[in-house]
Amino acid sequence: MTASLAKRAYSLVSLPASADPIAGRLLASRGMRAFADGLVSLSLPIYLASIGFDLFEVGVLTTATLAGSAILTLAVGMLSHHFSQRRMLLSAAMLMTLTGLAFFLVKDFWPLLIVAFVGTLNPSSGDVSVFLPLEHARLAHSVSDRDRTAMFARYSLVGSLFGALGALAAGLPELLQIMMGLSVGQALQPVFLLYAAVGLASFLLYRRVPRERADIQTSPPQPLHKSRTLVLTLAALFSIDAFAGGLIVQSLLAIWLYHRFGLSLAATGAIFFWSGVLSAASYLVAVRLSNRIGLVNTMVFTHLPSSLCLLLIPFVPDLSTTIVLFLIRSALSQMDVPTRTSYVMAIVTPGERAAAASVTSVPRSLAAASSPLLAGWLMSVSSFGWPLVAAAALKILYDILLLFMFRKHRPPEER
């Protein structure tokens, strides 16, 4: 019985049978970056506040990081058929290293704003990143259609688990501060050195990724053509969801909890850790659910109740109920991540996958980049939690539109 359970658990977390070694290297890089993003997403707003920035300036810097990601991702979409994906991954990893070093060394607002815009810092601990479209395209080529959703579920699982560990580790600088008598800023500065080191480690991993594979040669990267209308429509819908997500990025949620309930960084990190664990478990559930009811239905019917939980949070006066609602939302809200990625990769031709991944990511990044500024302003004038209410309403609208417009567009494995 025990052996059977162990074998079943291993089958859930191991690579799908049709996957090649490239997938393992990409998952390893994803895990390291997720840990760094989880740590930085909670540490960044506290660090910025400790060196003299107010909530509005924190919102501006957060917006700059997301806007920069959007521009970089747009460049990937425009250049993916001119340069190898491997070369662009190596360049992104080196940029990540330079970003971490710059945040470690610079403390003035305007230089930090420039670094935030041109760098890779991710305040959401999520999928707003120049790395993801490139990795999505390579992963889609690395498995069969039947295993595609399972592969992206594992990709999301790794990101969520390591992101949760990174959030949990956000309490360590606070411990360092107490033990060594440092200021908050001094205790948090090493976080950015670690971020730079992760960029360097990712660079070394990407060097081991082959330049190209035989199946990619038969379907070389190309601009959108046959699937253009579908992809642009999806991109518009995803931008609604992303704008809503930008209102509640992890950095801003952390500072909202701090001002609303006086939570320490360590306590907030523990909450986000369990949130990440629940999200990670949900990715594996999403694979089975999508096999039964389809990718689009899985995206919609798990996302709707999570948005209702988000809508209720600002109206709850006590911390315990707030945490319960937040964790329930975490168990449901991310099931659409692997299914969404798998769906986009499924409804386009193999040669369009890199372009489709970028085009659907750019509006998400642009939309997510514009909303933290609004959220920061809303939180500066009221502690109620208006960003959470607005985010929930927009996410519900997104779910309804997605179901109405795409319920009949099925991927190959559902036909």
Side-chain angles (χ1 to χ4, degrees):
M1 182 70 175
T2 303
S4 175
L5 287 174
K7 184 177 180 180
R8 188 179 184 84
Y10 176 78
S11 68
L12 286 174
V13 299
S14 60
L15 291 177
S18 62
D20 63 26
I22 294 174
R25 293 166 192 148
L26 295 178
L27 290 182
S29 175
R30 171 64 173 139
M32 291 190 300
R33 294 197 326 273
F35 179 87
D37 286 340
L39 177 59
V40 167
S41 67
L42 293 185
S43 303
L44 180 63
I46 308 301
Y47 173 73
L48 293 175
S50 73
I51 60 176
F53 298 142
D54 59 30
L55 282 175
F56 179 73
E57 289 172 325
V58 172
V60 171
L61 287 167
T62 302
T63 292
T65 61
L66 294 171
S69 293
I71 300 300
L72 285 174
T73 307
L74 178 61
V76 168
M78 295 175 63
L79 301 174
S80 61
H81 56 286
H82 292 297
F83 298 97
S84 72
Q85 294 167 6
R86 177 179 179 271
R87 179 180 296 179
M88 287 190 285
L89 283 169
L90 288 170
S91 300
M94 187 53 60
L95 183 59
M96 180 178 179
T97 299
L98 295 174
T99 302
L101 291 175
F103 265 85
F104 176 76
L105 296 171
V106 179
K107 294 185 179 180
D108 296 323
F109 177 78
W110 289 108
L112 279 181
L113 184 64
I114 295 172
V115 173
F117 183 77
V118 302
T120 62
L121 214 61
N122 181 8
S124 63
S125 186
D127 60 351
V128 182
S129 167
V130 69
F131 294 94
L132 301 197
L134 295 167
E135 291 180 341
H136 286 173
R138 292 305 296 263
L139 285 172
H141 282 293
S142 73
V143 290
S144 65
D145 283 341
R146 180 177 292 274
D147 288 334
R148 188 185 58 256
T149 302
M151 171 58 75
F152 284 114
R154 282 149 178 80
Y155 182 81
S156 299
L157 171 69
V158 167
S160 188
L161 282 178
F162 280 88
L165 289 173
L168 189 64
L172 294 178
E174 196 170 55
L175 181 62
L176 185 66
Q177 177 191 357
I178 296 171
M179 292 177 59
M180 302 186 65
L182 303 174
S183 68
V184 175
Q186 289 172 330
L188 290 173
Q189 260 190 310
V191 166
F192 301 103
L193 277 183
L194 176 62
Y195 184 86
V198 168
L200 183 59
S202 295
F203 179 86
L204 296 176
L205 267 177
Y206 292 143
R207 288 191 64 185
R208 299 180 62 193
V209 173
R211 294 182 183 278
E212 57 187 353
R213 290 177 48 205
D215 61 336
I216 297 176
Q217 290 177 358
T218 59
S219 300
Q222 59 186 17
L224 288 175
H225 179 60
K226 183 178 179 181
S227 311
R228 181 182 180 85
T229 301
L230 282 177
V231 171
L232 292 180
T233 305
L234 279 173
L237 289 176
F238 291 166
S239 68
I240 297 174
D241 183 48
F243 182 88
L247 292 169
I248 51 169
V249 293
Q250 197 158 281
S251 293
L252 296 179
L253 276 178
I255 207 162
W256 181 76
L257 288 170
Y258 174 77
H259 283 279
R260 179 77 179 267
F261 298 107
L263 281 185
S264 67
L265 189 58
T268 304
I271 294 172
F272 281 112
F273 168 76
W274 289 111
S275 167
V277 169
L278 289 172
S279 294
S282 75
Y283 296 138
L284 300 177
V285 176
V287 177
R288 292 198 166 196
L289 193 59
S290 66
N291 289 336
R292 289 178 176 271
I293 67 174
L295 291 173
V296 172
N297 287 337
T298 301
M299 284 188 269
V300 172
F301 294 120
T302 58
H303 213 236
L304 273 172
S306 75
S307 298
L308 293 175
C309 288
L310 180 63
L311 184 64
L312 291 174
I313 288 175
F315 297 94
V316 173
D318 62 290
L319 177 60
S320 298
T321 308
T322 297
I323 293 174
V324 169
L325 286 172
F326 183 72
L327 293 179
I328 292 173
R329 176 185 178 267
S330 299
L332 297 171
S333 65
Q334 298 300 300
M335 287 193 195
D336 71 320
V337 174
T339 47
R340 180 181 65 219
T341 305
S342 178
Y343 185 70
V344 172
M345 295 295 98
I347 64 172
V348 302
T349 63
E352 293 176 301
R353 281 171 172 166
S358 296
V359 169
T360 52
S361 294
V362 169
R364 284 182 59 81
S365 298
L366 287 172
S370 59
S371 45
L373 181 62
L374 173 62
W377 177 77
L378 288 172
M379 288 193 293
S380 70
V381 298
S382 172
S383 62
F384 171 68
W386 288 112
L388 284 74
V389 174
L394 287 171
K395 284 178 175 291
I396 290 171
L397 173 64
Y398 156 75
D399 291 327
I400 294 171
L401 291 175
L402 180 65
L403 181 64
F404 178 75
M405 299 177 71
F406 283 90
R407 67 187 186 278
K408 295 182 180 179
H409 291 281
R410 298 181 178 180
E413 65 270 20
E414 294 178 22
R415 294 169 190 164

